[in-house]
Amino acid sequence: MHYGNPPLFLAIQGITQRLDPARTYTVGRDPQSDVVFQEAIVSRRHARIYWGGTSWVLQDLNSTNGTYDLGRRISLAEVGHGASFTLGDATEGPRLQEMLRSFELNSVRRSRPATTPPDDQLQPIYATLSAAWQAAFRQVCRSQHRPSR
């Protein structure tokens, strides 16, 4: 059974966007970018976000002012649950933040098979989540399969 790659929900300037793993997204000041920032500290072609096969990846495209994770300049980083990156300045730059949306879990639950698949088959859905989120996800899936009395 195949569940597909998980979408990424990214909070950008207060707006949550759903990113499709079948696409690569560009980030920068260029109006043709998928995610556009107006701040001068953001390069025209600043970064890209893509599904790397096992997780989402943020790659800095040799931007002038850099991309930061927890104050450290990075060139490549895995985008896990709750990840937060700043562009152009470690503390004052615009922020990209990963968000897990509850409605996504609900839609996964509604489309599940009649029996709970083994954990290794659920892996593509929650591969980037922390162990606590993975346990909660498994519990939700299993609770939906209890027979009615």
Side-chain angles (χ1 to χ4, degrees), residues 38 41 45 53 58 72-73 118-119 125 141 146:
Q38 301 300 319
I41 60 173
R45 292 188 62 247
L58 173 67
R72 283 191 9 238
R73 191 169 182 159
D119 287 354
I125 295 173
C141 289
R146 292 191 178 125

Side-chain angles (χ1 to χ4, degrees), residues 5-12 16-23 25 48-51 55-58 78-83 85 96-101 103-104 125 128-129:
N5 299 327
L8 178 67
F9 291 93
L10 208 57
I12 303 165
T16 301
Q17 295 184 20
R18 181 184 193 274
L19 305 187
D20 180 351
R23 290 194 51 211
Y25 295 84
R48 69 182 181 141
I49 302 170
Y50 60 94
W51 176 253
S55 64
W56 282 91
V57 177
L58 173 67
E78 183 176 319
V79 182
H81 177 66
F85 302 94
L96 299 171
Q97 184 167 357
E98 190 277 339
M99 314 273 297
L100 175 68
R101 300 296 297 259
F103 65 81
E104 181 64 16
I125 295 173
T128 61
L129 301 180

Side-chain angles (χ1 to χ4, degrees), residues 78-112:
E78 183 176 319
V79 182
H81 177 66
S84 183
F85 302 94
T86 54
L87 306 177
D89 182 273
T91 56
E92 301 296 320
R95 184 172 304 278
L96 299 171
Q97 184 167 357
E98 190 277 339
M99 314 273 297
L100 175 68
R101 300 296 297 259
S102 61
F103 65 81
E104 181 64 16
L105 283 178
N106 290 337
S107 68
V108 169
R109 241 190 356 245
R110 281 193 301 273
S111 63
R112 74 190 179 290

Side-chain angles (χ1 to χ4, degrees), residues 20-91:
D20 180 351
R23 290 194 51 211
T24 295
Y25 295 84
T26 57
V27 178
R29 275 193 351 263
D30 186 338
Q32 299 300 313
S33 294
D34 298 298
V35 180
V36 178
F37 289 94
Q38 301 300 319
E39 290 85 350
I41 60 173
V42 175
S43 295
R44 288 184 63 75
R45 292 188 62 247
H46 197 99
R48 69 182 181 141
I49 302 170
Y50 60 94
W51 176 253
T54 58
S55 64
W56 282 91
V57 177
L58 173 67
Q59 179 183 14
D60 185 272
L61 298 175
N62 297 316
S63 63
T64 301
N65 294 317
T67 301
Y68 298 85
D69 180 14
L70 300 174
R72 283 191 9 238
R73 191 169 182 159
I74 56 106
S75 58
L76 193 68
E78 183 176 319
V79 182
H81 177 66
S84 183
F85 302 94
T86 54
L87 306 177
D89 182 273
T91 56

